Amino acid sequence: MSKYAGKKAVIQGGTHGMGLGVAKALLAEGAEVVLTGRNEANIEAARAELAGEAAHVVRSDAANLDDVRALGGVVEEKLGRIDFLFINVGIAELVPFDQVTEEGYDRIFDINTKGAFFTVQRLAPLINKGGAVLFTTSIADNMGYPGITVYGGAKAALRTFAKGFAAELMPHGIRVNALSPGPIKTPSMGYPAMSDADKDVHEKEMNEISPMKRHGTIEEIAAAALFLAFEATFTTGTEVVVDGGLAQGIIPAAA
Amino acid sequence: MSKFAGKKAVVTGGTHGMGLAIVKALLDGGAEVLYTGRNEKKIEEARTELKSDKAHVVRSDAASMADIRGLADTAQEKLGRVDYLFVNHGIAEVQTLEETTEESWDRHFAINTKGAFFTVQSLSPLLNDNGAIVFTTVANDLIFPGLSAYSGSKEAVRAISHVLAAELLPRKIRVNSVAPGYIKTPTMGVAGMTEEERRDFEKQGADTSPLKRMGTVEEVAAAALFLAADATFTTNVEFPVDGGFAQGLTGAH
């Protein structure tokens, strides 16, 4: 299969979960990919899994602007110019607002928001005309769910960045959109610090309140991401939701 | 391509423009398609162009309840069950507040809104679990003088689609909408324009879309098929195919 033969992509936050899923979908269709991660174990696991593929796994901390600048150099060296930039990096922590510390607040905004902005600033000059940028936002940017107020705020900023960049990169023929996942079945479930037992509880709780009564799959995210990246050529500045209807105001019909 | 091999679809308003592009994309992917039109000339043109034993065209007026029921009978006979229903038919007439007649108002709501709802009601029993409905709405944040009846009738469809998404959830049928902006079609979606008006409209579309061009019917079809077949964890959303028009983007200085 070679649907993306000759295409080059950067995935920030690509060593596990949704980012890795998109990386694999790109590689399977012939693209070359630089993907970043911060956690050494995840980086090693991704390197092992993608060995022999046209993939370059780079350690890069989105909260560190030196790393972001260095990533620009690595991308120039490995790929030259790129067709798709997927800003998928992100962390979430479930913390009630009265227990949020300044450090916790800054960590969420530094990684999810500031890192995303400066990564696009650094890499935008490398994106080909006709290329695309995609941000992973979250249904939390438009919902009230206890414990993720800071995360929701950081992701809402990202939603706005997608519009701003869409306008600013329009003259360069680059489309910018956002992909807003609901609950997706990933190894971390979006909460790297959560215990496995808590993840199970969280998963059941989310299935319970979700209209489709299940989590989404990484493949479902990858399908939407690649559609927005390569096929939605008359769509820019929008957010596509992959949430099983969770944030769509649906009250399920009575059984 | 056999992405849609074994799949069956109904496309209303499928004889020209965006609907025809959806029909072609489905056929290309191996689906069997029943599509409707009202204008005999366009029906013949589409039949001639498609020449596929997997394409069935039926004359059906979305403003006629008898035709809608007949469509369901034809769908049952030709397809049996249906996986994807594209409710794409619609009319638009430019009339200002002063010019709008009751007849024009009623025509818009009869075809675009009432016809859309009862098409779903009639075909719903044939829809497979895990199937999908895709409405063609419009990038309605794009405000156009002279399209009150049209915009109202399409906004009503959007509202109806929300409720249907909830009602059809137990059958795992997803309900979404594709919202086109300026798309280059033979009629530009607006009936009764002179050749000169149509050219002006096209130029206006290309000038005012942030992407500085009109969209293609193929781009609309791609989004419609994505929603129908690939967006399996997405329901009750509207997917804009509008070149950024209705996304609140202002061109760079």
Side-chain angles (χ1 to χ4, degrees):
Chain A
M1 299 280 277
S2 54
K3 190 171 173 188
Y4 304 128
K7 298 288 184 192
K8 298 181 177 182
V10 174
I11 303 178
Q12 189 183 33
T15 56
H16 66 118
M18 298 187 284
L20 182 61
V22 172
K24 286 199 245 180
L26 284 164
L27 292 166
E29 294 285 349
E32 185 173 2
V33 184
V34 164
L35 44 101
T36 77
R38 190 175 43 138
N39 176 303
E40 289 293 354
N42 286 342
I43 290 170
E44 282 316 311
R47 279 201 182 121
E49 185 169 358
L50 302 176
E53 307 249 21
H56 314 277
V57 185
V58 179
R59 189 184 184 286
S60 180
D61 180 354
N64 180 330
L65 291 194
D66 287 339
D67 277 16
V68 169
R69 279 186 285 268
L71 174 63
V74 172
V75 171
E76 279 167 356
E77 181 204 322
K78 300 281 187 199
L79 304 180
R81 301 192 61 78
I82 64 174
D83 303 288
F84 176 38
L85 171 58
F86 185 27
I87 305 289
N88 176 63
V89 64
I91 58 162
E93 292 167 7
L94 263 180
V95 185
F97 84 96
D98 51 2
Q99 292 166 35
V100 170
T101 62
E102 186 179 359
E103 290 71 26
Y105 184 98
D106 286 345
R107 185 165 54 242
I108 296 280
F109 269 83
D110 282 352
I111 295 175
N112 291 312
T113 308
K114 186 177 164 187
F117 180 88
F118 285 101
T119 302
V120 177
Q121 188 192 58
R122 176 65 184 87
L123 294 180
L126 305 181
I127 302 174
N128 285 322
K129 191 172 165 49
V133 178
L134 182 65
F135 292 96
T136 301
T137 54
S138 165
I139 57 168
D141 68 18
N142 198 23
M143 272 185 105
Y145 189 81
I148 52 168
T149 300
V150 179
Y151 174 76
K155 287 293 192 182
L158 218 53
R159 169 70 188 101
T160 307
F161 288 176
K163 278 187 189 284
F165 281 120
E168 294 208 50
L169 295 175
M170 194 84 72
H172 302 284
I174 297 166
R175 297 174 302 101
V176 184
N177 291 294
L179 170 58
S180 176
I184 304 298
K185 179 94 176 146
T186 65
S188 76
M189 304 291 285
Y191 300 103
M194 206 183 255
S195 72
D196 284 350
D198 283 351
K199 273 179 205 161
D200 285 347
V201 173
H202 180 71
E203 181 176 355
K204 286 199 185 75
E205 191 183 302
M206 294 308 282
N207 283 343
E208 202 62 22
I209 65 170
S210 172
M212 287 192 187
K213 300 290 172 211
R214 67 173 176 97
H215 275 57
T217 65
I218 289 172
E219 289 71 25
E220 287 171 318
I221 291 292
L226 295 181
F227 184 77
L228 287 166
F230 295 106
E231 289 176 76
T233 45
F234 202 54
T235 298
T236 190
T238 199
E239 183 179 60
V240 171
V241 182
V242 181
D243 71 340
L246 181 57
Q248 305 313 311
I250 293 172
I251 298 174
Chain B
M1 291 278 286
S2 54
K3 184 173 178 187
F4 304 122
K7 298 291 184 188
K8 297 181 178 181
V10 173
V11 182
T12 69
T15 56
H16 67 284
M18 298 184 278
L20 181 60
I22 292 171
V23 172
K24 285 183 189 170
L26 286 163
L27 292 170
D28 283 348
E32 185 170 2
V33 187
L34 176 67
Y35 63 104
T36 76
R38 192 172 43 137
N39 178 307
E40 290 290 358
K41 186 164 160 282
K42 285 182 178 150
I43 289 172
E44 279 319 308
E45 284 169 2
R47 205 197 306 263
T48 307
E49 184 178 351
L50 294 176
K51 279 200 249 41
S52 162
D53 56 4
K54 287 192 164 174
H56 316 280
V57 65
V58 54
R59 190 186 179 287
S60 182
D61 181 351
S64 158
M65 290 295 284
D67 279 12
I68 289 172
R69 279 188 284 269
L71 172 62
D73 293 340
T74 309
Q76 182 148 33
E77 177 200 329
K78 298 279 187 195
L79 304 179
R81 309 284 303 169
V82 176
D83 299 290
Y84 312 130
L85 169 58
F86 297 87
V87 183
N88 168 73
H89 69 265
I91 58 160
E93 297 166 11
V94 178
Q95 290 181 325
T96 62
L97 174 64
E98 296 78 16
E99 294 162 351
T100 301
T101 61
E102 185 180 1
E103 289 70 27
S104 166
W105 180 271
D106 287 345
R107 191 159 51 238
H108 279 88
F109 276 81
I111 294 173
N112 295 356
T113 312
K114 183 178 168 185
F117 177 82
F118 284 102
T119 297
V120 175
Q121 190 192 58
S122 292
L123 289 170
S124 162
L126 303 182
L127 276 175
N128 281 325
D129 286 4
N130 294 307
I133 297 172
V134 179
F135 289 100
T136 303
T137 55
V138 64
N140 226 349
D141 303 322
L142 177 163
I143 308 302
F144 246 117
L147 284 178
S148 281
Y150 172 74
S151 299
S153 66
K154 283 294 190 181
E155 197 75 356
V157 170
R158 177 77 183 108
I160 289 165
S161 76
H162 294 315
V163 181
L164 295 177
E167 288 198 39
L168 294 171
L169 198 54
R171 292 171 56 193
K172 301 189 191 307
I173 294 168
R174 295 170 299 101
V175 181
N176 295 295
S177 303
V178 59
Y182 280 104
I183 305 298
K184 180 141 174 72
T185 66
T187 65
M188 291 300 292
V190 181
M193 278 196 295
T194 66
E195 189 62 22
E196 192 186 346
E197 284 170 336
R198 192 181 55 74
R199 268 199 306 274
D200 286 349
F201 192 71
E202 283 191 21
K203 185 172 181 322
Q204 187 188 359
D207 286 349
T208 54
S209 289
L211 281 178
K212 295 296 172 210
R213 65 171 175 93
M214 282 182 294
T216 65
V217 292
E218 289 77 18
E219 288 172 315
V220 174
L225 266 57
F226 169 74
L227 290 169
D230 296 324
T232 47
F233 201 54
T234 298
T235 191
N236 202 18
V237 310
E238 188 172 58
F239 191 111
V241 182
D242 67 350
F245 198 117
Q247 307 309 313
L249 312 180
T250 307
H253 303 293

